[in-house]
Amino acid sequence: MSNTTTVQSVDRAIAILEILAREGATRVTDLAVELDVHKSTAFRLLAALEQGGLVEQSGDRGRYRLGFGVVRLAGAATAQLDLSRESRPVCLRLAQAVGETVNIAVPQDGDTVNISQVRGPAAISGHNWVGQRTPSHATSSGKVLLAFGALRLPAGLERYTPRTITSEAGLELGEIRERGWAATVEELEVGLNAVAAPIRGSDGSVVAAVSASGPSYRLTPDRLPEVGELLVEGAREISQRIGYYR
């Protein structure tokens, strides 16, 4: 299948979802007419969407409606939006208290993805991490998500700097669980240190991490425990704001 054909199929699949959202349960023939495609093409697109749970057949034979997969995706997007919104005032305070850039990261496909960031007051406060995927074993947020079961450790840990830890034992995930925070010292980038703490969702499971990162000459190893405790308190408040109560 060519790239043009693939893009065209994706566009048509999106159009089907938009039609079903607007019209409700709709017959295949009507979808085909609105898309200006053969009925067999509409069936093929619906079958792919049905396999993904995005559409389902309604009680009326030959009609399709949106499936619960759409609700699942919408719920995940809403949860991230809620997390970004509810965490922001806490992150603003943390950035001022710590003097460094503060990020919120969530697990995604074995890595961590930063979904929001508040820059610290210092003139040098790092680059924008929002939207970037980072390896779990070489970041403080990733270590937190690994330690508390939100991520699984991948096979074959890549080395990014001479200080990158490439063994499960070296990550000390049990110790991270005990003290409640994780740190990295020049493990992703030379000259960059970071600390992170876990954020829990309404069911008590760890769903994200809040981290502070900065240049190693400023966020020195001897500061990490103090910053870690500040982040633990901040993470506890964020967890409560998104529905977690002990």
Side-chain angles (χ1 to χ4, degrees):
M1 184 180 289
S2 69
N3 288 338
T4 301
T5 304
T6 300
V7 171
Q8 189 177 51
S9 296
V10 171
D11 288 342
R12 287 170 173 169
I14 293 171
I16 287 175
L17 295 175
E18 291 176 340
I19 293 167
L20 295 180
R22 184 181 70 241
E23 304 292 340
T26 305
R27 294 185 184 279
V28 178
T29 50
D30 294 333
L31 288 169
V33 169
E34 187 154 354
L35 293 174
D36 193 24
V37 299
H38 194 274
K39 188 176 178 180
S40 62
T41 301
F43 263 124
R44 177 175 56 80
L45 292 167
L46 285 165
L49 291 169
E50 187 175 20
Q51 187 173 9
L54 299 178
V55 304
E56 61 187 22
Q57 296 190 52
S58 69
D60 297 333
R61 186 173 177 81
R63 289 181 180 269
Y64 284 82
R65 63 189 179 195
L66 293 178
F68 281 104
V70 173
V71 177
R72 174 177 52 80
L73 293 175
T78 301
Q80 287 202 7
L81 289 172
D82 287 345
L83 177 58
S84 296
R85 182 178 62 248
E86 296 298 333
S87 66
R88 187 157 187 83
V90 181
C91 291
L92 285 167
R93 293 202 310 271
L94 285 171
Q96 287 296 319
V98 177
E100 303 295 349
T101 296
V102 174
N103 281 279
I104 300 292
V106 297
Q108 188 174 94
D109 300 328
D111 291 326
T112 63
V113 176
N114 294 281
I115 62 171
S116 68
Q117 176 172 295
V118 174
R119 289 188 179 275
I124 302 175
S125 54
H127 63 269
N128 188 358
W129 293 94
V130 175
Q132 293 196 29
R133 298 171 67 94
T134 52
S136 57
H137 68 288
T139 60
S140 58
S141 292
K143 287 183 182 181
V144 162
L145 296 174
L146 286 170
F148 288 90
L151 281 174
R152 291 185 178 180
L153 192 67
L157 303 181
E158 185 176 348
R159 185 176 296 280
Y160 295 92
T161 76
R163 304 193 71 162
T164 303
I165 298 168
T166 57
S167 69
E168 182 173 359
L171 292 173
E172 300 179 338
L173 300 180
E175 292 186 23
I176 292 172
R177 285 192 297 273
E178 288 181 14
R179 69 173 178 247
W181 54 271
T184 52
V185 177
E186 299 187 271
E187 294 166 41
L188 179 64
E189 294 182 6
V190 174
L192 178 70
N193 292 349
V195 195
I199 297 170
R200 297 183 183 273
S202 57
D203 64 353
S205 63
V206 171
V207 296
V210 57
S211 69
S213 60
S216 56
Y217 67 83
R218 203 168 59 217
L219 187 57
T220 54
D222 63 314
R223 287 192 64 204
L224 300 181
E226 171 200 351
V227 175
E229 292 304 320
L230 287 172
L231 290 171
V232 167
E233 289 301 316
R236 185 176 295 121
E237 182 178 347
I238 295 170
S239 299
Q240 291 174 347
R241 292 176 69 99
I242 64 172
Y244 172 63
Y245 295 96
R246 258 193 269 188

